């Protein structure tokens, strides 16, 4: 299908897309939560916001659903996730386009996000037959000791606007096969994609049959306050929250206060090192994609470029030229590489960071607003490169916009210190042809991030690996590898088949 759409008809296009996916158009108007598209900056629907009382009732319904769902065998639970994957395949174009409309991602990235959902569903289906525990050698004669993994309960998922649907699926696909129910609080900036996913999930559930209880997925629409209700509810043993480090600092302690478990996937001030031996053509492409893709609004966006002084002059002018040639525009137009920022706040934050960088001696290339006449209420920007005299000021923070700070280095040790010298360390990479440098970078004395790459940029991730791992949180983990364990609880079971009760020597109980 062609994904080019008429940007003057965004509300109509949105209603059509949503109703094709099973959302009742009556639920898209007269609500108090305005859904906007960053393409035009205008409201495209208004939906019902949930109250604290609604949230409490929905968590109760999810708890009831959990009690039934945990009795369903895990491979059968996997069948529900397989059916969800089928619905996502059937509606990939519609949902991908809706992601572009609501989050401003270019068409290929909107579709790529839905593909990630499909991939994690496939992964989770296999996982539903592999929730293994260990059998452990016991020191007691005539006994067997083993561990069993049980579902944790209701899983609360709080997601960010920039991955409006994939983040949910990284959590929910695992949670469902693990036997949990899910209460999802999407970003208040992306409520419509959540409605679409809820409708697709219901379609899968209807095909699955009655052993999937009605309340298995609850979608809680609203802002931070409603998220706090979820975070504070002791009936929710696991909270997986994806968003800024500011949000994580609020959520983490609140969940810990009630001894809940949190999985925090937070912001990233990600860097790449370009070493003297780097293939500069490869590096240039990798850097441009990682820094400008999704208009700098990825958690793994490349934000700092640590360039060896010997290749600086060969690389940076070419990069500045590449930045100047990139096509900025409506993300659904063919050929667009950089879409809009999410809103005015994001634009203002970007401009503030650029001013601070200038004040700290930075030389700014690009960064200005474009297309303001065509889209007066939306915020499109020329991606910026800032040559900095040192790593200081705004370079130390994640600004969720396309700004790439460039600094020089002279030794690998210095480069790794710079790479590790910021708080929000999520993803990192090195461009080098020197095997020893690559190994050092990925070793214990190298990058301190949850993601460390060689000869590819820091952005993008496959679901097969455990994603994320912002260093301050000790590494939140969603998606692949053994991430599933965070959605379950472990029981160690000892079975005595000896007929005797081995007690410490000399210990006797009179039980007559
Ligand atoms: P945000 O932190 O503003 O909001 C994220 C979500 O948290 C929203 O649903 C919001 O309503 C909710 N929230 C905020 N404060 C809360 C609180 N006190 N209690 C409960 N819920 C609360 O983030 P955003 O602007 O939507 O997204 C961008 C940020 O997310 C960036 O920092 C980006 O790096 C990060 N991110 C990280 C990952 C990852 O996997 N590590 C993925 C995507 C985005």
């Amino acid at each position: 299908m062609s994904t080019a759409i008429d940007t003057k008809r965004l509300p109509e296009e949105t209603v059509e897309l949503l109703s094709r996916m099973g959302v009742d158009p009556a639920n898209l108007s007269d609500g108090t939560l305005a859904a906007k598209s960053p393409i035009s900056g205008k409201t495209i629907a208004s939906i019902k916001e949930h109250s604290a009382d609604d949230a409490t009732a929905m968590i109760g319904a999810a708890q009831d659903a959990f009690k039934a769902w945990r009795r369903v065998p895990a491979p059968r639970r996997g069948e529900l996730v397989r059916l969800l994957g089928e619905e996502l395949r059937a509606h990939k174009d519609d949902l991908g386009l809706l992601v572009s409309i609501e989050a401003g991602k270019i068409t290929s990235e909107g579709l790529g996000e839905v593909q990630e959902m499909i991939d994690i569903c496939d992964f989770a289906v296999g996982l539903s037959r592999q929730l293994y525990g260990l059998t452990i050698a016991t020191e007691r004669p005539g006994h067997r000791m083993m561990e069993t993994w049980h579902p944790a309960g209701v899983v609360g998922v709080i997601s960010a606007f920039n991955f409006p649907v994939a983040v949910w699926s990284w959590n929910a696909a695992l949670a469902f096969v693990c036997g949990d129910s899910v209460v999802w609080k999407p970003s208040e900036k992306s409520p419509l994609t959540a409605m679409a996913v809820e409708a697709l999930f219901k379609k899968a559930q209807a095909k699955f049959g009655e052993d999937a209880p009605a309340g298995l997925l609850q979608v809680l629409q609203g802002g931070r306050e409603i998220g706090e209700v979820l975070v504070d509810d002791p009936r929710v043993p696991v909270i997986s929250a994806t968003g800024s480090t500011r949000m994580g600092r609020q959520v983490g302690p609140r969940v810990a206060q009630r001894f809940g478990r949190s999985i925090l996937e937070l912001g990233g001030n990600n860097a790449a090192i370009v070493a003297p031996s780097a293939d500069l053509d490869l590096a240039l492409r990798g850097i441009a994609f990682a820094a400008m893709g999704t208009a700098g609004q990825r958690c793994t966006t490349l934000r700092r470029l640590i360039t060896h002084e010997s290749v600086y002059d060969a690389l940076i002018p070419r990069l500045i030229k590449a930045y100047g040639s990139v096509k900025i525009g409506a993300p659904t137009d063919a050929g667009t590489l950089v879409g809009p920022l999410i809103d005015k706040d994001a634009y203002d934050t970007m401009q503030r960071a650029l001013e601070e960088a200038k004040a700290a001696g930075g030389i700014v290339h690009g960064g200005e607003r474009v297309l303001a006449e065509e889209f007066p209420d939306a915020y499109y920007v020329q991606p910026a490169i800032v040559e900095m005299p040192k790593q200081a000021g705004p370079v130390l923070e994640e600004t969720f916009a396309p700004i790439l700070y460039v600094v020089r280095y002279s030794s690998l040790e210095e480069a790794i210190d710079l790479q590790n010298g910021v708080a929000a360390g999520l993803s990192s990479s090195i461009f080098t042809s020197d095997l020893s440098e690559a190994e050092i970078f990925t070793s214990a004395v190298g990058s301190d991030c949850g993601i460390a790459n060689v000869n590819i940029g820091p952005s993008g991730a496959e679901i097969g690996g455990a994603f994320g791992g912002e260093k301050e949180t000790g590494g939140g983990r969603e998606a692949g590898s053994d991430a599933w364990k965070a959605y379950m609880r472990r029981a160690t079971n000892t079975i005595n088949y000896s007929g005797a009760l081995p007690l410490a020597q000399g210990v006797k109980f009179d039980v007559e």
Side-chain angles (χ1 to χ4, degrees):
M1 91 174 228
S2 158
T3 46
I5 51 162
D6 182 354
T7 54
K8 301 217 163 42
R9 288 187 69 249
L10 284 175
E12 294 83 357
E13 296 266 7
T14 302
V15 172
E16 282 163 27
L17 281 172
L18 280 162
S19 41
R20 276 210 292 277
M21 286 184 273
V23 176
D24 184 349
N27 295 335
L28 297 171
S29 52
D30 301 332
T32 50
L33 181 60
K36 294 188 173 194
S37 170
I39 298 177
S40 63
K42 292 190 165 47
T43 298
I44 49 174
S46 49
I47 65 152
K48 176 182 156 61
E49 234 171 321
H50 290 110
S51 66
D53 286 346
D54 293 336
T56 302
M58 287 158 85
I59 294 166
Q63 200 185 33
D64 291 345
F66 160 66
K67 286 180 182 160
W69 190 235
R70 65 184 171 178
R71 293 171 182 272
V72 176
R76 170 84 182 130
R77 300 193 297 244
E79 171 63 7
L80 175 62
V81 175
R82 192 189 69 75
L83 290 167
L84 174 63
E86 295 285 282
E87 293 301 329
L88 290 166
R89 280 182 175 87
H91 294 89
K92 181 176 171 182
D93 287 344
D94 285 341
L95 186 57
L97 185 52
L98 190 63
V99 168
S100 293
I101 291 174
E102 198 172 43
K105 292 188 175 193
I106 61 171
T107 305
S108 58
E109 288 177 335
L111 292 171
E113 179 158 353
V114 183
Q115 186 58 47
E116 272 192 33
M117 301 178 82
I118 295 167
D119 294 343
I120 192 75
C121 285
D122 285 358
F123 178 93
V125 174
L127 181 68
S128 71
R129 293 178 185 271
Q130 300 176 77
L131 302 170
Y132 304 132
L134 297 171
T135 301
I136 300 155
T138 162
E139 62 197 37
R140 288 166 285 195
H143 284 58
R144 184 164 65 81
M145 188 161 69
M146 62 181 190
E147 60 182 24
T148 319
W149 290 87
H150 297 300
V154 181
V155 172
V157 178
I158 296 173
S159 56
F161 81 83
N162 68 317
F163 272 98
V165 288
V167 164
W168 170 79
S169 68
W170 297 342
N171 288 285
L174 298 196
F176 290 137
V177 299
C178 289
D180 303 321
S181 57
V182 172
V183 180
W184 178 18
K185 210 295 283 172
S187 166
E188 56 276 39
K189 295 178 187 174
S190 57
L192 300 179
T193 38
M195 289 176 91
V197 169
E198 185 183 18
L200 295 180
F201 181 77
K202 281 193 178 141
K203 281 177 194 254
Q205 204 171 347
K207 288 183 184 159
F208 179 81
E210 284 177 3
D211 46 342
L216 207 48
L217 172 64
Q218 306 281 329
V219 180
L220 203 50
Q221 296 280 13
R224 171 192 159 156
E225 297 72 25
I226 210 73
E228 286 173 350
V229 176
L230 183 61
V231 163
D232 289 339
D233 197 309
R235 296 171 297 174
V236 186
V238 179
I239 293 282
S240 176
T242 300
S244 57
T245 47
R246 178 192 48 74
M247 178 278 289
R249 279 206 176 82
Q250 292 163 358
V251 168
R254 288 176 87 131
V255 178
Q257 182 77 23
R258 58 175 178 84
F259 295 126
R261 182 189 301 162
S262 54
I263 302 169
L264 298 174
E265 290 288 8
L266 306 180
N269 189 358
N270 315 298
I273 296 170
V274 185
S277 65
D279 172 340
L280 291 188
D281 291 334
L282 177 80
L284 187 75
R285 283 197 304 276
I287 293 162
F289 172 73
M292 289 190 281
T294 326
Q297 298 166 112
R298 277 177 176 236
C299 49
T300 51
T301 289
L302 175 58
R303 308 197 181 279
R304 298 175 293 133
L305 192 62
I306 302 164
T307 311
H308 193 265
E309 56 200 6
S310 67
V311 292
Y312 193 98
D313 292 338
L315 179 68
I316 304 307
R318 280 178 74 193
L319 195 60
I320 294 171
K321 201 165 160 216
Y323 262 57
S325 68
V326 79
K327 186 172 174 228
I328 303 158
T332 47
D333 285 357
T336 296
L337 282 175
V338 177
L341 293 177
I342 189 71
D343 56 20
K344 181 172 187 303
D345 273 357
Y347 172 73
D348 290 343
T349 306
M350 177 181 181
Q351 297 310 311
R352 260 198 313 276
L354 291 175
E355 286 308 316
E356 282 172 35
K358 270 189 213 156
I363 303 167
V364 177
H365 307 269
E368 58 278 3
R369 186 171 175 197
V370 296
L371 301 173
E373 277 187 21
E374 194 180 339
F375 299 109
D377 300 313
Y379 291 85
Y380 292 80
V381 288
Q382 188 71 41
I385 294 186
V386 186
E387 296 181 85
M388 291 296 290
K390 61 179 184 170
Q391 180 165 282
V395 189
L396 301 174
E397 307 292 327
E398 179 199 51
T399 299
F400 217 54
I403 303 176
L404 179 64
Y405 299 105
V406 188
V407 292
R408 295 170 196 255
Y409 80 91
S410 51
S411 72
L412 181 64
E413 201 184 357
E414 180 194 0
I416 291 175
D417 281 350
L418 285 167
Q419 136 65 34
N420 292 346
V422 299
L426 173 63
S427 186
S428 60
S429 66
I430 188 167
F431 287 93
T432 181
S433 301
D434 181 327
L435 184 61
S436 163
E437 280 191 339
E439 290 289 340
I440 290 170
F441 183 74
T442 51
S443 78
V445 298
S447 164
D448 62 2
C449 295
I451 300 173
N453 295 337
V454 176
N455 289 333
I456 60 168
S459 78
E462 279 180 49
I463 59 89
F467 180 71
E470 202 270 292
K471 70 184 190 190
E472 290 170 300
T473 66
R477 296 291 177 183
E478 294 167 3
S481 186
D482 64 351
W484 61 271
K485 290 181 175 169
Y487 303 81
M488 302 196 86
R489 64 183 175 84
R490 179 194 336 235
T492 304
N493 313 124
T494 306
I495 293 126
N496 175 3
Y497 59 86
S498 69
L501 190 62
L503 295 172
Q505 229 177 357
V507 176
K508 266 194 190 158
F509 284 110
D510 188 357
V511 289
E512 293 305 315

